[in-house]
Amino acid sequence: MKSICRLLLALLLFGSIAAAQSTPPARTDVYHVHFAKAALGKGAELGEYLKTADPNVPMSAHHIVLRHQDGEDWDYVVIQHLGTKTTVEAAGTAVPAAMRDLSAWHNDTFVNGPSWSEFSKALGIDEGSPTKTAGSVYVVSVYRAAPGHREQLEKSLNQSAPGDTASGNVLMQHLEGGPWQFLTVVRYNS
């Protein structure tokens, strides 16, 4: 937590040093962000389950599953595109009995972000991307602003640092659920 606070403070204090701000895409679409921790010894099985698109869900192919490598306690993050609006049903999403014990815990939230075409292009998963994600490394970060500094944090997150070699960047804003305001997914060609 201390490192996040230091990073946030550094972003707020030195944000003006960053290179000129580019116009970010409008956040017109809703996404579901699901962080999951695999049960002991169930990481590979959980990963396969999370990658399987549900044919009963509209736009089920509009998702990305990323495997965690270093830092936080989660093992996977799934970002599912839901369109420009969504409805949450009281019945929830049924998890098959055989899959229930694959996860030790999860947390999820709804965010707004760019259109699916902008999102998929930035992350190299669009149909026009010849190599798709081959050799890509993704950095997923969540940010919580100090009270009264939300706008400054958002502005800072929209700026590119001098010498940044990112090949794609998506900024999403929390709508409902998690204890943070912004989520970024930055893609690097490794």
Side-chain angles (χ1 to χ4, degrees):
M1 187 65 176
K2 286 183 182 179
S3 63
I4 292 173
C5 291
R6 286 183 193 140
L7 174 62
L8 177 59
L9 184 58
L11 286 172
L12 291 173
L13 293 174
F14 301 110
S16 61
I17 297 172
Q21 178 180 349
S22 61
T23 304
R27 291 190 294 258
T28 58
D29 289 27
V30 178
Y31 293 80
H32 179 240
V33 178
H34 177 92
F35 291 98
K37 173 73 173 175
L40 190 59
K42 301 293 184 181
E45 290 175 80
L46 179 61
E48 288 304 313
Y49 170 67
L50 294 173
K51 287 190 283 184
T52 305
D54 183 347
N56 299 320
V57 174
M59 298 180 281
S60 64
H62 289 193
H63 74 282
I64 185 169
V65 179
L66 299 171
R67 176 72 162 101
H68 182 259
Q69 301 235 330
D70 187 32
E72 284 290 334
D73 194 31
W74 53 271
D75 291 314
Y76 293 95
V77 63
V78 181
I79 303 174
Q80 173 73 49
H81 178 240
L82 301 173
T84 57
K85 61 184 187 175
T86 191
T87 303
V88 178
E89 301 284 334
T93 304
V95 176
M99 302 300 141
R100 261 185 232 136
D101 294 332
L102 298 180
S103 180
W105 60 260
H106 82 276
N107 73 38
D108 49 357
T109 189
F110 293 96
V111 299
N112 64 16
S115 68
W116 176 252
S117 62
E118 292 286 333
F119 178 92
S120 60
K121 182 178 179 181
L123 298 186
I125 59 173
D126 61 317
E127 291 302 317
S129 179
T131 57
K132 293 287 187 183
T133 59
S136 292
V137 173
Y138 298 88
V139 177
V140 177
S141 305
V142 296
Y143 298 89
R144 181 175 32 206
H149 295 279
R150 188 174 183 145
E151 288 77 19
Q152 291 95 332
L153 176 59
E154 182 176 11
K155 182 179 178 184
S156 179
L157 293 173
N158 275 318
Q159 294 175 335
S160 297
D164 186 8
T165 60
S167 54
N169 187 2
V170 174
L171 174 64
M172 305 176 110
Q173 180 178 284
H174 170 268
L175 290 173
E176 199 63 49
W180 41 266
Q181 284 114 9
F182 298 102
L183 176 137
T184 60
V185 183
V186 182
R187 177 176 162 240
Y188 294 91
N189 292 329
S190 178

